[in-house]
Structures are given as C-alpha cells and as structure tokens.
Amino acid sequence: MNRVLLIEDDLQMQGLIKEYLERFHMDCFACSTPGEALEALKKERFDIAVLDLMLPQMDGFDLYKEMKKIADIPIIISSARGDIGNKITGFELGAEDFLAKPYDPRELVLRIEAALKRGQRSTLYKIGDLTIDEANRRIFIEDYEIELTKAEFDVLLALIKNRGKTLSREQIVALASLDPQTRRRTVDMHISNIRQKIGDDPKKPKYIKSLWGIGYRFE
C-alpha cells in the first residue's frame, strides 16, 4: 500500500481528500502545519506527498525545500495559487506535478498514481561498484548478485535514498518500514550484515559510515 503525506490546513478539504485516497487503497497521513509535516517525514516513510502552498507558519515553497532535505520523495503541489508564476516556481524547485484548486479528488488520485508509476520506472541506483534495482529488489556488485534479506535490503535502500545524510537508528527504522519495536542493536546487526555482504570494511568504509552516538550515513 502506498503511503501519502498530505499537508492541507483546510480541515474540511483535508478530511475529504484523506477519505477519498483511502478509498483507493492509499494510506494517507494528514497534517495541517509545516511542523507536523516535517516531524512526520523524520519519523516515517512516505512514497509521495501532496503539499498545499498556503499554510500557517511557513510558505509552501519554503516547506517544500525543507521536506526535500529530509526525504527525496515526489511532491505534488495542490494549491489555489494556480497562476503561471507559482507553477513555474514549483516546477523549477522540482515538483512532480502541480494541481490547481478547485479540482475533483479523482484527478488527484490519477496524478498520484501516474507519479508513482514514473518513479517505478527509474529506480536503478549505481554507486561505485554497486547497482541497486529497487523495483525488482535486487543488488549487484559489478555483475555478481548479492543476496540480502528483506530487512537488510530496506535498510540499505533507506540509506541510499538519503545519501549524504546522517540517519539515526530511529530514522532508519521508520524509513525502512521496520517493526517500530525494533531495537537499536538490531539496526546495528542489519548494518553489520550489509557491510559484510557488500564487502564494506567498517574500519575503512567505502559506503556506510558510522557516526558514534548518532547513527549511519551512506557516502
């Protein structure tokens, strides 16, 4: 089930959109303030976000930039500010799509589905000797395929998708959709197994760097 982060401060519209998305088998987490949205992104994994521009506390474009610092997920802008200037700004920032209000919720569903399909077509990561095929959940070192468990693959993918960012163990648990009760030592065990399988020396890491007392970062 795809997870959607909805940022909409009009509570009536928020409820309508959330109900409609869930009718189409999407898990929708709705929030009404930028602070709630950023906190949710830090703690949980989402496949896509729907962002209103007219929000309290922070302009939607500024929130867009902060969201991208936390998680590289596609973002659809949904706003009454549908003039060409705002659309250009949104697309220049890298927005996946721009949907001007008012609109039929069914159109939003179709645009979300189209965005997710586009993302599935480009899920090949090539980093050093590693090739990670997200869609087919396969990983290779040069032409040799490496066998990872589901949890190990999800942990590695979470690190790769946040390359260059230091993630705490709690963030890794959320981004990799592990059991929320997963212990810190279990995350360390997954990292250790991944390192062993991809030949990454923890003393001189090429890919996964440990930051004592903080977490891990994919270089």
Side-chain angles (χ1 to χ4, degrees):
M1 181 180 290
N2 290 311
R3 301 206 68 212
V4 181
L5 174 62
L6 172 64
I7 308 103
E8 170 60 67
D9 68 330
D10 182 329
L11 297 183
Q12 184 176 0
M13 177 170 282
Q14 182 193 103
L16 174 66
I17 294 173
K18 177 178 170 64
E19 180 182 352
Y20 204 86
L21 294 181
E22 290 177 344
R23 198 187 309 171
F24 283 86
H25 310 292
M26 296 182 189
D27 181 12
C28 180
F29 181 90
C31 51
S32 56
T33 67
E36 290 174 339
L38 295 174
E39 192 65 23
L41 269 181
K42 291 175 183 176
K43 293 182 177 180
E44 301 185 44
R45 179 193 65 81
F46 296 95
D47 298 294
I48 195 168
V50 179
L51 169 64
D52 181 27
L53 292 181
M54 299 174 68
L55 295 168
Q57 305 170 1
M58 183 186 297
D59 181 76
F61 287 135
D62 292 329
L63 176 57
Y64 179 101
K65 296 173 187 176
E66 294 303 311
M67 290 170 65
K68 281 293 188 178
K69 292 178 183 177
I70 299 172
D72 187 19
I73 60 172
I75 299 176
I76 294 177
I77 294 176
S78 158
S79 178
R81 286 160 48 180
D83 59 276
I84 189 64
N86 280 295
K87 287 184 179 180
I88 289 173
T89 300
F91 285 122
E92 284 180 340
L93 286 175
E96 184 70 28
D97 206 340
F98 196 113
L99 191 56
K101 295 178 180 178
Y103 56 81
D104 188 305
R106 179 61 178 143
E107 183 178 0
L108 176 60
V109 169
L110 292 172
R111 297 210 185 195
I112 289 174
E113 290 174 343
L116 292 173
K117 285 179 181 177
R118 287 194 294 271
Q120 289 172 355
R121 288 196 293 268
S122 53
T123 53
L124 200 65
Y125 301 90
K126 293 186 177 182
I127 305 168
D129 296 332
L130 293 179
T131 300
I132 300 91
D133 182 350
E134 180 182 359
N136 295 301
R137 300 183 64 82
R138 302 175 73 187
I139 178 171
F140 301 84
I141 294 182
E142 295 183 344
D143 294 326
Y144 180 74
E145 185 168 3
I146 305 298
E147 295 293 334
L148 298 182
T149 66
K150 180 183 182 301
E152 290 165 1
F153 186 91
D154 290 338
V155 167
L156 178 60
L157 191 61
L159 290 168
I160 288 172
K161 284 189 171 183
N162 292 274
R163 187 178 180 187
K165 298 178 184 178
T166 300
L167 300 179
S168 68
R169 291 167 178 81
E170 291 75 17
Q171 286 177 308
I172 292 172
V173 168
L175 291 168
S177 297
L178 302 178
D179 185 327
Q181 303 302 317
T182 298
R183 297 187 178 185
R184 293 166 61 92
R185 287 184 180 179
T186 304
V187 174
D188 294 338
M189 180 191 71
H190 289 320
I191 296 290
S192 177
N193 290 340
I194 293 168
R195 281 173 164 163
Q196 184 177 6
K197 291 178 180 181
I198 67 174
D200 197 26
D201 185 349
K203 295 181 179 179
K204 295 181 180 179
K206 180 180 179 182
Y207 296 112
I208 303 173
K209 183 175 182 179
S210 302
L211 288 95
W212 181 257
I214 302 176
Y216 297 95
R217 181 173 69 235
F218 196 94
E219 296 293 295

